[in-house]
Amino acid sequence: MKKRNPKLAALLSIVPGIGQFYNKRPIKGAIFLIFFISFISVFYQFFNIGFWGLFTLGTIPKLDDSRVLLAQGIISMMLIAFALLLYVVNIVDAYKNAERYNRNEEIEDPRARRIATWDKTFPYLLISPGTFLLVFVVVFPLIFMGFVAFTNYNLYNSPPRHTLEWVGLDNFKTLFTIGIWRKTFFSVITWTIVWTLVATTLQIALGLFLAIIVNHPMVKFKKLIRTVLILPWAVPAFVTILIFAAIFNDEFGAINNDILQPLFGIAPAWLSDPFWTKIALIAIQVWLGFPFVFALFTGVLQSISPDWYEAADMDGASSWQKFKNITFPHVIFATAPLLIMQYAGNFNNFNLIYLFNKGGPPVSGQNAGSTDILISWVYNLTFEFNNFNMGAVVSLIIGFIVAIVAFLQFRRTSTFKDEGGI
């Protein structure tokens, strides 16, 4: 049997499909070759305009829309990346087919070969629609936002009336060096971190406390109590937030008029004083967030073997020691990834901040409200002030913060260090 040269097959595949013809795979070779020719002929003009627009962002105002040119350039990059991936697959396929032929591993029967090929490619066919949607619904907007952060796209320089320009790192320098931007950014990010840590930790602590209490053997009517405690989770969050906004209203809210004023003679300015607004937001988030944590911990607590607690009782362990050495480690081990997601979710909890008081009350000398977090500030920059470039810059910072913190925390959890039991 004459051997095939894998390196020659790979070299011939520089022109897609030729290596497959060399390996006596005419159908596969024809597919690669036709795709290659069709790709160039169909997208050549698109790529020409796309990459020109990506580098220049247009040259004639009112005629060249920089947003369209930028989008077309990004799509061109994505299509080129996809084509390069298939190009590499074409070369690797030719090389490996030649190697399999030399090892006598090739399937000779055409029908069996087609079945084997179908079995191998079927999973990729199933995930391809979802992958396509993911790329154009998630990846494309993220890349577009990333590019906008390096342009001068704002209210006073908006396409198509004006063409955009690349400004490099100027927007980042503005954020960290110009007075009002620097002051606002550090004020907002400080409150965002405090909000995330305090609100999330309190909702987790309350959920764990209630789960332990309800799970205690002496507590009766467990099903009824669990149902009642999960009810806040069943109500849509935006409805609850709007109700709380009315309850905490400074003028007619039930908190002041029916509880605090008659009983204690005080009436905090929940919507106009930054301190009390922050207290109210944290309290509302604890109310909204604890039911999920409670349900999560309840399921985990029921999986802990009673024998562990019996052994601890025989050793004379106190309730605190049993919690510290049995309950808490087991709960954290099983739920750490989901708890990290709770922190990440509250870091970007736009709904509560916006619906309760739209990030207010306002602060003098800043372009963000006193309770705005990064994501609500981005919303205001983008949709209220049309400051798209600075909104994109802050969005990039949010993405980096969440990604880095989540990655580090996931790696530190025992769930990922040990894939077995405790």
Side-chain angles (χ1 to χ4, degrees), residues 16 33-48 80 83 87:
L33 185 59
I34 292 172
F35 178 83
F36 174 69
I37 296 173
S38 301
F39 184 83
I40 293 178
S41 60
V42 171
F43 291 109
Y44 173 77
Q45 188 64 27
F46 184 86
F47 292 151
N48 187 30
I80 289 292
Y87 188 75

Side-chain angles (χ1 to χ4, degrees), residues 9-328:
L11 183 62
L12 291 173
S13 292
I14 291 177
V15 177
I18 302 301
Q20 281 72 23
F21 284 116
Y22 169 77
N23 288 329
K24 304 295 175 54
R25 293 288 182 271
I27 297 178
K28 186 184 292 185
I31 292 174
F32 276 116
L33 185 59
I34 292 172
F35 178 83
F36 174 69
I37 296 173
S38 301
F39 184 83
I40 293 178
S41 60
V42 171
F43 291 109
Y44 173 77
Q45 188 64 27
F46 184 86
F47 292 151
N48 187 30
I49 298 175
F51 285 108
W52 172 81
L54 187 62
F55 284 102
T56 65
L57 295 179
T59 56
I60 305 175
K62 298 183 180 179
L63 179 62
D64 296 332
D65 191 329
S66 298
R67 297 166 300 184
V68 176
L69 293 174
L70 179 59
Q72 189 169 337
I74 294 172
I75 294 174
S76 298
M77 292 175 57
M78 295 170 66
L79 289 173
I80 289 292
F82 175 70
L84 288 175
L85 176 63
L86 287 183
Y87 188 75
V88 172
V89 169
N90 148 72
I91 296 174
V92 173
D93 177 77
Y95 185 88
K96 289 187 174 181
N97 273 342
E99 283 192 328
R100 281 196 294 269
Y101 178 83
N102 293 338
R103 292 195 301 263
N104 293 323
E105 296 176 358
E106 201 169 55
I107 302 174
E108 297 296 336
D109 181 40
R111 184 172 181 276
R113 188 188 304 158
R114 286 195 299 270
I115 294 174
T117 302
W118 172 255
D119 291 339
K120 187 177 180 179
T121 57
F122 182 68
Y124 297 100
L125 292 175
L126 286 181
I127 65 173
S128 57
T131 304
F132 177 83
L133 289 176
L134 177 68
V135 168
F136 284 96
V137 175
V138 178
V139 177
F140 171 75
L142 289 176
I143 297 175
F144 187 88
M145 177 199 69
F147 277 92
V148 168
F150 298 93
T151 68
N152 59 347
Y153 188 7
N154 55 45
L155 176 63
Y156 305 103
N157 192 53
S158 182
R161 182 180 179 84
H162 303 279
T163 56
L164 300 180
E165 296 178 359
W166 295 111
V167 296
L169 298 175
D170 287 355
N171 294 326
F172 292 87
K173 292 178 183 177
T174 298
L175 185 65
F176 292 109
T177 59
I178 302 301
I180 185 173
W181 287 104
R182 183 180 68 250
K183 182 180 179 181
T184 304
F185 173 73
F186 285 106
S187 174
V188 171
I189 196 172
T190 300
W191 161 239
T192 303
I193 293 173
V194 171
W195 148 261
T196 302
L197 294 178
V198 175
T200 311
T201 302
L202 286 178
Q203 75 184 47
I204 291 174
L206 179 60
L208 178 59
F209 174 76
L210 293 174
I212 292 174
I213 295 299
V214 175
N215 196 61
H216 196 279
M218 295 181 63
V219 175
K220 306 297 181 183
F221 309 108
K222 296 182 186 296
K223 293 182 179 179
L224 175 62
I225 296 174
R226 287 170 184 156
T227 302
V228 172
L229 291 178
I230 291 177
L231 282 178
W233 190 20
V235 180
F238 79 94
V239 175
T240 304
I241 295 168
L242 294 177
I243 292 173
F244 271 112
I247 292 175
F248 279 101
N249 189 278
D250 296 346
E251 298 179 0
F252 57 81
I255 295 290
N256 284 351
N257 293 344
D258 299 335
I259 300 176
L260 297 181
Q261 186 70 35
L263 296 179
F264 305 102
I266 60 174
W270 298 107
L271 299 182
S272 55
D273 186 301
F275 174 78
W276 290 110
T277 304
K278 292 175 181 179
I279 296 297
L281 286 170
I282 291 173
I284 296 170
Q285 179 54 40
V286 172
W287 170 265
L288 291 171
F290 89 85
F292 171 77
V293 181
F294 168 77
L296 182 66
F297 286 157
T298 297
V300 176
L301 289 174
Q302 292 178 351
S303 68
I304 302 177
S305 173
D307 297 340
W308 294 4
Y309 294 108
E310 292 177 5
D313 289 333
M314 295 178 62
D315 291 337
S318 64
S319 298
W320 170 250
Q321 289 174 322
K322 288 187 286 186
F323 170 78
K324 180 181 177 182
N325 297 299
I326 299 176
T327 306
F328 188 72

